[in-house]
Amino acid sequence: MFDTATYKRRRDELKKLVKEGIIILFGNNESPANFPNNGYFPFRQDSSFLYYYGLQRDGLVGVIDIDNDKDLLIGNDIDIEDIVWYGSVDSMEEMRQRCGASETLPMRALKTVCNEALSKHRKIHFLPPYRHDIKIQIFDLLGVHPIQQKEAASMTLIKAVVKMRSVKEPQEIEELERAAVIGYKMHTTAMRLTKPGVTEKFVSGQVDGIAHSYGAMVSFPTIYTQHGEILHGAPSMKELEAGRLVLCDAGAETINNYCSDNTRTMPVDGKFTQRQLDIYSIVEACHDHTLDVAKPGVKYADVHFNVCRLMFDRLKELGLTKGDTEEAVRAGAHALFMPHGLGHMMGMDVHDMESFDQVNVGFDEETRPNLEQFGTNNLRMGRRLEEGFVVTDEPGIYFIPALIDDWKAKKHCAEFLNFDKLEAYKDFGGIRIEDDVLITKDGCRFIGKDRIPYHPKDVEEFMADN
């Protein structure tokens, strides 16, 4: 965790933004894998609780009483039987001192705190819960049914947390740089191991091991698959085949739970075919275009659509698309190839603050999402960029057989797509290139000192030499 002053300052700023009432920040409880004492490992704390309290132990709740200017840390000291199995841990008082809370109370006191606030009709702010045990706890404390809790969550608190967590402090950027070091090791390990005959599961397992050995955990389940057209394709027991592409989307969390998120696509036998290079070079150009235009004041939605136009034009050169590019993008024809957004916010959550709903994180009053158009409805980040934002830059081109067949049958966007020529690409797979980008004062830069190879020649040379 950071120093005590960091968490006190953050909570003080949160009080100013929310202005009145009490704020309840629920930490996570242990999550059972198949039995209460067999929890998923490692324990993952709630990110907002971590941001304001910095404590990694399960079974904790933070209560910020704005009106009375008090910060409570609520939880129970562990008993001797837990110590026998898990060893000694910091006491509640020790944790209170570390996070700078004003006092500590046992968990049973949380009901009293809530009852007193409810009896005085004070505003109780909580964030949208995503774990069922916390939903039950909120039901017990506040009487709000789980199916109503998303709507009952405090929009004032959501906006305040998004405002604070979106702009990364220097010490947070340092943590993201540490995550990038681990991410580099993960992806270069994947490149070294990729060769015909090795299974997807073996490579992904080695990649995951890097994250666990240098940090806290993977920042999301690793994607390593020869079916790159499946956006969240899980590794299988299939052996890698010469002539095919394999896509690796992986990231790490540091001990303090700051994330990396990168994607690379590589030839299984270390050498791109010309057809693969034709498509790869388009994704490469789209990826690099983002680095040229992303800066404070620019809407990330505009960057996204700039990339879509560039992609459509380049696919037109290959004879796969046709017609007026502006009209095609307006109609959503590009989404046949890239049915997702260009990127998302990133920080302690790999899709930062995703549990608040992306409309509250990646958009604002000025920039609203289009939830009707296929592809565009998956745009996670559209608002104007600000210095200190960290976003992913992840264009991709995917040839999804079922989607091609569906659009062809419906003649959807037929005036912009050459379906006959697309038939030859239904065995191609998919390509994505992704990096993490920090928005600076007058532009942007990569997170991470060492660049994971992504230019075709660099990829081929690295795989040949390693």
Side-chain angles (χ1 to χ4, degrees), residues 249 261 338 340-344 392-396 398 432-434:
D249 188 345
D261 183 5
M338 192 172 93
H340 61 73
L342 179 62
H344 51 80
T392 59
D393 167 23
E394 49 179 307
Y398 316 90
R432 181 165 64 253
I433 304 172
E434 177 183 14

Side-chain angles (χ1 to χ4, degrees), residues 101-120:
S102 52
E103 61 180 287
T104 180
L105 296 172
M107 187 57 72
R108 66 176 182 275
L110 182 56
K111 181 66 173 176
T112 302
V113 170
C114 291
N115 285 345
E116 289 180 357
L118 289 169
S119 68
K120 295 176 181 177

Side-chain angles (χ1 to χ4, degrees), residues 33 38 40 55 67 81 152 201 228 233 264 297 310 316 339 369 393 425 436 461:
N38 291 343
Y40 281 103
L55 301 169
D67 306 321
E81 288 200 16
K201 273 281 192 181
R264 294 295 185 263
L310 173 59
K316 199 185 299 184
D393 167 23
Y425 283 82
D436 307 325
E461 288 181 356

Side-chain angles (χ1 to χ4, degrees), residues 1 41 43 55 57 130 193 234 288 354 394 400 426 450:
M1 62 189 294
F41 183 82
F43 169 72
L55 301 169
R57 212 201 79 180
Y130 53 90
L193 295 176
D288 291 352
E354 187 173 30
E394 49 179 307
I400 306 169
K426 285 166 69 175
D450 295 321

Side-chain angles (χ1 to χ4, degrees), residues 90-278:
D90 289 342
S91 67
M92 290 297 298
E93 174 57 24
E94 288 169 326
M95 288 189 291
R96 181 198 70 77
Q97 293 178 23
R98 286 170 57 200
C99 71
S102 52
E103 61 180 287
T104 180
L105 296 172
M107 187 57 72
R108 66 176 182 275
L110 182 56
K111 181 66 173 176
T112 302
V113 170
C114 291
N115 285 345
E116 289 180 357
L118 289 169
S119 68
K120 295 176 181 177
H121 304 289
R122 297 177 67 196
K123 179 66 177 176
I124 299 177
H125 305 271
F126 62 88
L127 296 170
Y130 53 90
R131 289 194 174 189
H132 290 88
D133 55 334
I134 302 300
K135 292 181 180 182
I136 294 171
Q137 191 174 9
I138 292 173
F139 187 31
D140 289 340
L141 292 170
L142 305 178
V144 182
H145 193 279
I147 65 173
Q148 299 171 321
Q149 288 172 9
K150 183 177 179 180
E151 290 72 24
S154 170
M155 186 55 65
T156 300
L157 179 59
I158 290 171
K159 288 182 177 180
V161 175
V162 169
K163 180 180 177 66
M164 293 183 66
R165 285 182 57 187
S166 292
V167 178
K168 303 302 184 283
E169 303 167 357
Q171 59 190 347
E172 292 182 282
I173 295 169
E174 290 176 7
E175 280 295 319
L176 291 166
E177 294 283 358
R178 293 186 185 101
V181 171
I182 306 171
Y184 176 86
K185 294 178 185 292
M186 295 169 73
H187 279 274
T188 52
T189 295
M191 287 184 175
R192 289 188 182 98
L193 295 176
T194 294
K195 58 185 177 182
V198 178
T199 66
E200 295 175 0
K201 273 281 192 181
F202 176 80
V203 178
S204 67
Q206 300 301 305
V207 167
D208 287 356
I210 296 291
H212 286 279
S213 61
Y214 287 97
M217 58 192 293
V218 294
S219 53
F220 57 94
T222 295
I223 298 166
Y224 183 88
T225 176
Q226 294 171 103
H227 284 284
E229 78 279 6
I230 302 174
L231 300 184
H232 285 173
S236 72
M237 287 303 295
K238 291 180 180 177
E239 293 184 356
L240 301 182
E241 299 173 13
R244 298 186 67 176
L245 295 171
V246 64
L247 185 151
C248 180
D249 188 345
E253 290 193 15
T254 66
I255 294 299
N256 288 321
N257 298 105
Y258 283 82
C259 299
S260 71
D261 183 5
N262 302 94
T263 306
R264 294 295 185 263
T265 308
M266 65 208 85
V268 169
D269 50 5
K271 190 77 174 174
F272 290 102
T273 67
Q274 187 56 52
R275 187 172 77 142
Q276 290 167 350
L277 277 175
D278 289 341

